[in-house]
Amino acid sequence: TAPYLWDITSGTLPTGMSLSSAGVLSGTPGSAPGTYSITVRARDANNCVSTQALSVRVVCPPITLSPATLGDAQQFVAYSAVLMDGMGGSAPYTFGIDSGALPGGMSLSTSGLLSGTPTALPGDYTFTVRGMDSVGCAGTRSHTLRVTCPVITVTPATLPNARQYQAYSQTMSASGGNP
């Protein structure tokens, strides 16, 4: 008969969680994701008992990777390096390309540094970054990195005046761009 007293007879709860003598399982799990098996016992006023094997499954928190967008890269010009970061898990994070590919000449370090000098043809390059925290929880974010054309400089910048009824000739030239 009631009231019942509760305790754990075997197994271990995740760190930060407990079972009260009133039978309330509560807390904030701080252990690594996984399944934690316990056996609970309920004892009534006459010292009669019953046990039940249970398990608590700790799942990964949502992990958000930043930045949300990337700036354009210009072909043959060093990209202004971007440091990826994670939020929601347990730092430190390690990073890699989950799918797709970076433009040629670019790389992503395991510490999350996106850098390099794009040598790939101008266009959009879509890839997915995976960030994994220190306990194995992961998040992903898709990015499209646009590689723009290199600057082509046209000379002269201005043309000399042409005189009415006189022959005119001006040679144009360009530099830069793709050879």
Side-chain angles (χ1 to χ4, degrees):
T1 61
Y4 298 99
L5 293 177
W6 294 84
D7 65 346
I8 295 174
T9 60
S10 68
T12 305
L13 286 170
T15 303
M17 295 191 74
S18 63
L19 176 66
S20 74
S21 61
V24 177
L25 179 62
S26 63
T28 302
S31 298
T35 302
Y36 296 81
S37 297
I38 59 170
T39 300
V40 297
R41 174 174 53 195
R43 182 183 312 269
D44 73 6
N46 294 320
N47 211 26
C48 296
V49 298
S50 181
T51 60
Q52 178 68 47
L54 299 169
S55 60
V56 175
R57 185 167 180 247
V58 176
V59 297
C60 289
I63 293 180
T64 304
L65 302 182
S66 61
T69 61
L70 298 172
D72 291 350
Q74 188 179 53
Q75 187 183 32
F76 306 124
V77 175
Y79 187 68
S80 187
V82 172
L83 185 62
M84 303 284 172
D85 198 7
M87 189 171 71
S90 300
Y93 294 87
T94 56
F95 297 88
I97 301 298
D98 197 46
S99 65
L102 292 171
M106 303 281 299
S107 65
L108 176 66
S109 72
T110 57
S111 62
L113 187 65
L114 177 63
S115 61
T117 300
T119 57
L121 292 174
D124 289 344
Y125 295 83
T126 300
F127 56 94
T128 300
V129 173
R130 174 183 285 284
M132 187 174 296
D133 76 359
S134 62
V135 297
C137 295
T140 60
R141 183 176 291 270
S142 291
H143 287 287
T144 297
L145 182 60
R146 175 167 286 158
V147 175
T148 61
C149 291
V151 173
I152 298 173
T153 304
V154 174
T155 55
T158 60
L159 294 172
N161 293 333
R163 293 187 186 266
Q164 186 180 22
Y165 307 118
Q166 288 187 357
Y168 182 88
S169 176
Q170 175 64 52
T171 301
M172 304 285 185
S173 66
S175 61
N178 285 299

